[in-house]
């Protein structure tokens, strides 16, 4: 049986990063079956999941959504967005829904919207763990109260099944909570009978949009999946995919370049073959999908201590001749000053000095004989249980940090503070706490689907 | 006895989820790849020592079609904690550049 080709328009690597309307138009001319993209990741750190706030600005997301909603409506094809609002927790999904509804009203659209929630309840997860359904991934401990307790939000990464169910039920727009990057792109191709290995592999290659092309600043790609394999090409007529750029993308942000664990199986590309179909398009065959018992990965993050920082610039050659000695002496002096001035709280305060321009990035000793830098930026970071205490620590350290002599007995120098006041309240530290997978009875067990019928809403508000 | 940077056209590092760092060594051609991909200086034990992790946790892959060696290892602390210096792990490749190969 021949499987019809499924074309998925992937307009960019992340909603809000800048969709190009001309590329989307070029893609629509090829009659895609869906527009799909991802709007989030843990890539930028734990703050977005811990707080539920989006990394991209509301206006940037709104601009991209306006282009994509109009494109979906014009072509009469569904728009699928995974990991809404960066973290894909419930408030991030609702933040995205709010923008979609605002645009629908402004554009006079009445889309049927399916909203897929992926946020998880701690008690329910504890029960799953007690039942032996949760497995820790290296490096992590068991899913106990110590791991769950500090999490502000916990999400389970959705697979493609809830997207497929939503599209089959007639959704024009599907807004998903946290989802694997690949699942949201693979969904419609799987729904239409595309080979699972090809659909998942195509989705992995397309997940960062233009990163699999020779010109990654051109963000859109089209993935076309059939019964034997898939092909991929950039949306821009001036950009190209080559077997090298496509196969090399399997390396990107993956700890394993051959096998990718997904909900319900493993994608294995060990035997995949990459061939140029024409000068812009690459054809891939030989990707395998190994079905496995259904599991979903968990992500959780929460707030920790608070930080206050200070920063000085130093050009004094006497300091720069021995940066390590200078920073070491200052570190000792600051700790002693804190112990004497804040004796009750000093044990709760951490001070970190990082000389940018010398070895702040790695924290490793520079190679022996490294020449003195021309200048350094010395960063001071105080970490404490409260913002007030972190700032108190910075203020206690301020005169030493500003005037620390190159050696004892020398006149007091003044280093170059760029700001007043000198201390900057950086806010809370956020941390990832979970690295676990949970086995589920079905792909829908941990997902909640809500339908938003904008036509009914519009009628209700017209009647009112 | 070349240094790694002399036989690679590109070396990069990146976070692979919040708990892992992955490094890609793009050798400058099949010749260098054949000569140096299995060099002990970029073997699991040496990499583990360089980054302060357990050798059993270093994953090492050879991607022959791309002349690439990929090294993945757990972070000592999850991404983004109080003492984070490299949120995306994008500079973690640098200590490898000057390794001497046999």
């Amino acid at each position: 049986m021949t499987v019809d080709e499924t074309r998925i328009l992937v307009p960019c690597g992340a909603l809000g990063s800048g969709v190009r309307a001309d590329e989307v138009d070029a893609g629509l001319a090829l009659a895609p079956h869906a527009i799909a993209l991802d709007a989030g990741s843990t890539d930028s750190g734990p703050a977005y999941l811990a707080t539920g706030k989006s990394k991209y600005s509301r206006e940037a997301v709104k601009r991209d959504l306006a282009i994509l909603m109009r494109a979906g409506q014009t072509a009469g094809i569904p728009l699928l967005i995974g990991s809404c609002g960066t973290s894909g927790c419930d408030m991030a999904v609702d933040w995205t829904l709010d923008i979609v509804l605002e645009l629908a009203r402004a554009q006079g659209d009445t889309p049927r919207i399916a909203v897929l929630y992926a946020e998880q309840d701690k008690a329910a997860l504890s029960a799953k763990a007690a039942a032996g359904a949760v497995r820790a991934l290296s490096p992590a401990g068991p899913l106990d109260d110590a791991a769950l307790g500090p999490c502000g939000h916990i999400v389970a990464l959705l697979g493609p099944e809830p997207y497929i169910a939503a599209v089959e039920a007639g959704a024009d727009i599907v807004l998903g909570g946290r989802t694997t990057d690949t699942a949201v792109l693979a969904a419609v191709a799987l729904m239409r009978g595309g080979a699972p290995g090809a659909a998942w592999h195509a989705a992995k290659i397309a997940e960062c949009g233009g990163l699999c092309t020779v010109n990654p600043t051109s963000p859109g790609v089209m993935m076309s999946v059939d019964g034997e394999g898939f092909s991929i090409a950039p949306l821009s007529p001036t950009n190209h995919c080559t077997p090298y750029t496509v196969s090399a993308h399997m390396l990107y942000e993956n700890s394993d370049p051959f096998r990718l664990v997904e909900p319900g199986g493993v994608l294995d590309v060990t035997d995949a073959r990459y061939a140029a179909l024409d000068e812009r398009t690459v054809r891939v065959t030989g990707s395998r999908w190994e079905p496995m018992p259904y599991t979903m990965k968990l992500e959780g993050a929460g707030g920790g201590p608070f930080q206050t920082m200070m920063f000085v610039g130093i050009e004094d050659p006497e300091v720069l001749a021995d940066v390590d000695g200078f920073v070491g002496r200052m570190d000792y002096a600051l700790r002693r000053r804190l112990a004497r001035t804040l004796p009750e709280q000093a044990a709760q305060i951490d001070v970190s000095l990082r000389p940018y321009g010398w070895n702040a990035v790695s924290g490793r000793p520079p190679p022996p004989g490294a020449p003195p830098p021309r200048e350094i930026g010395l960063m001071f970071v105080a970490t404490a249980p409260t913002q007030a205490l972190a700032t108190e620590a910075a203020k206690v350290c301020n005169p030493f940090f500003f005037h620390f002599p190159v050696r004892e007995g020398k006149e007091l120098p003044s280093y170059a503070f760029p700001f007043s006041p000198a201390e900057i309240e950086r806010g809370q530290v956020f941390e990832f706490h979970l690295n676990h997978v949970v086995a589920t009875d079905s792909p829908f067990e941990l997902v909640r689907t809500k339908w938003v019928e904008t036509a009914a809403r519009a009628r209700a508000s017209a009647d009112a | 006895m070349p240094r790694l940077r002399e036989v690679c056209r590109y070396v990069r590092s990146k976070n692979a989820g919040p708990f892992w760092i992955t490094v890609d060594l793009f050798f400058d051609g099949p010749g260098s790849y054949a000569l140096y991909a299995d060099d002990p200086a970029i073997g699991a034990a040496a990499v583990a020592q360089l980054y302060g992790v357990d050798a059993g946790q270093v994953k090492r892959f050879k991607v022959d079609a791309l002349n690439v060696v990929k090294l993945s290892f757990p972070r000592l602390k999850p991404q983004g904690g109080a003492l984070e210096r490299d949120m995306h792990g994008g500079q973690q490749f640098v200590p490898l550049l000057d390794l001497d190969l046999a």
Side-chain angles (χ1 to χ4, degrees), chain A residues 42-46 55 138-140 243-244 247-258 297 299 305 307 350 352-356 359-364 381 383 429-435, chain B residues 9 12 14-22 24 26 49-52 57 59 61-68 70-75 78-88 91-92 95 98:
Chain A
T42 56
D43 194 53
S44 300
K55 172 182 150 181
S138 169
Y244 186 86
S247 58
H249 191 67
M250 282 307 295
L251 299 168
Y252 192 68
E253 291 179 347
N254 267 1
S255 61
D256 184 330
F258 299 117
K297 193 160 182 283
E299 291 170 352
Q307 294 184 319
D350 178 80
S352 170
L353 290 173
R354 307 178 195 179
Y356 280 90
N359 72 337
V361 176
S362 69
R364 292 162 177 266
V381 187
T383 305
V429 173
F430 298 103
E431 295 161 314
F432 286 112
H433 294 288
L434 302 187
N435 191 23
Chain B
R9 67 166 186 85
R12 70 179 178 190
K14 190 77 172 67
N15 50 341
F19 302 92
W20 285 76
I21 296 285
T22 189
D24 298 326
F26 290 81
Q49 195 179 12
L50 191 58
Y51 291 97
Q57 292 194 294
K59 299 186 201 172
F61 303 93
K62 289 170 68 181
V63 188
D64 298 346
L66 299 172
N67 301 314
V68 163
K70 187 175 191 59
L71 300 158
S72 302
F73 49 87
R75 283 179 184 256
Q79 176 189 10
L83 297 179
E84 181 62 76
R85 289 169 183 261
D86 186 6
M87 188 67 67
H88 294 81
Q91 295 296 304
Q92 297 303 306
D98 288 325

Side-chain angles (χ1 to χ4, degrees), chain A residues 86-232:
Chain A
T86 306
S87 66
C89 72
D90 289 0
M91 68 180 271
V93 175
D94 287 336
W95 179 84
T96 310
L97 174 62
D98 186 63
I99 302 173
V100 167
L101 292 176
E102 184 179 308
L103 282 165
R105 278 192 300 273
Q107 296 180 357
D109 272 1
T110 52
R112 292 194 75 205
I113 305 170
V115 187
L116 314 174
Y117 290 107
E119 188 150 347
Q120 304 302 315
D121 176 65
K122 288 179 189 176
L125 287 178
S126 287
K128 288 288 265 180
V134 176
R135 183 165 54 89
L137 300 175
S138 169
L143 188 79
D144 52 16
D145 290 346
L148 291 169
C151 292
H153 297 277
I154 298 170
V155 290
L157 277 74
L158 305 185
E161 294 83 359
Y163 289 87
I164 294 172
V167 171
E168 284 180 335
D172 300 307
I173 299 174
V174 187
L175 299 178
R178 185 69 171 121
T179 304
T180 75
D181 294 354
T182 38
V184 63
L185 305 192
V188 171
L190 291 167
M191 180 184 91
R192 289 172 41 86
W200 284 102
H201 192 183
K204 171 61 197 170
I205 297 301
E207 59 153 349
C208 292
L211 274 193
C212 65
T213 71
V214 297
N215 178 11
T217 59
S218 163
V221 296
M222 183 79 81
M223 54 179 256
S224 307
V225 179
D226 55 47
E228 277 80 48
F230 73 94
S231 60
I232 185 145

Side-chain angles (χ1 to χ4, degrees), chain A residues 424-446:
Chain A
I424 303 163
E425 295 196 333
R426 206 203 58 71
Q428 198 168 17
V429 173
F430 298 103
E431 295 161 314
F432 286 112
H433 294 288
L434 302 187
N435 191 23
H436 300 78
V437 292
V438 55
T440 63
D441 299 332
S442 91
F444 298 91
E445 183 188 341
L446 300 179

Side-chain angles (χ1 to χ4, degrees), chain A residues 152-366:
Chain A
H153 297 277
I154 298 170
V155 290
L157 277 74
L158 305 185
E161 294 83 359
Y163 289 87
I164 294 172
V167 171
E168 284 180 335
D172 300 307
I173 299 174
V174 187
L175 299 178
R178 185 69 171 121
T179 304
T180 75
D181 294 354
T182 38
V184 63
L185 305 192
V188 171
L190 291 167
M191 180 184 91
R192 289 172 41 86
W200 284 102
H201 192 183
K204 171 61 197 170
I205 297 301
E207 59 153 349
C208 292
L211 274 193
C212 65
T213 71
V214 297
N215 178 11
T217 59
S218 163
V221 296
M222 183 79 81
M223 54 179 256
S224 307
V225 179
D226 55 47
E228 277 80 48
F230 73 94
S231 60
I232 185 145
L235 297 180
S236 162
T238 58
N239 195 3
H240 311 268
C241 282
T242 70
Y244 186 86
T245 62
V246 171
S247 58
H249 191 67
M250 282 307 295
L251 299 168
Y252 192 68
E253 291 179 347
N254 267 1
S255 61
D256 184 330
F258 299 117
R259 288 173 66 82
L260 196 63
V261 180
E262 292 285 347
V266 177
L267 169 67
D268 189 319
V269 306
T270 309
D271 298 323
R273 293 174 300 282
Y274 303 79
L277 207 58
D278 57 40
E279 61 182 21
R280 308 180 54 242
T281 311
V282 171
R283 171 80 181 162
V284 183
T285 52
S287 332
R288 283 194 308 269
W289 175 253
E290 299 170 7
M292 305 268 281
Y294 209 86
T295 57
M296 295 168 84
K297 193 160 182 283
L298 297 174
E299 291 170 352
F306 292 78
Q307 294 184 319
T308 297
M309 57 180 284
M310 299 188 287
F311 193 87
V312 289
I314 303 178
E315 274 192 325
D316 182 338
E318 281 200 77
V319 173
L320 300 178
D322 178 20
V323 177
D324 288 329
F326 176 78
V327 171
R329 289 192 298 277
M330 182 192 276
D331 186 85
Y332 177 77
L334 295 183
R335 286 172 198 280
R336 201 172 49 174
R337 165 117 173 125
L338 281 170
R340 287 176 178 171
T341 315
L342 300 170
E344 306 290 318
Q345 298 103 321
Q348 300 173 281
I349 300 166
D350 178 80
V351 166
S352 170
L353 290 173
R354 307 178 195 179
Y356 280 90
W358 182 240
N359 72 337
V361 176
S362 69
R364 292 162 177 266

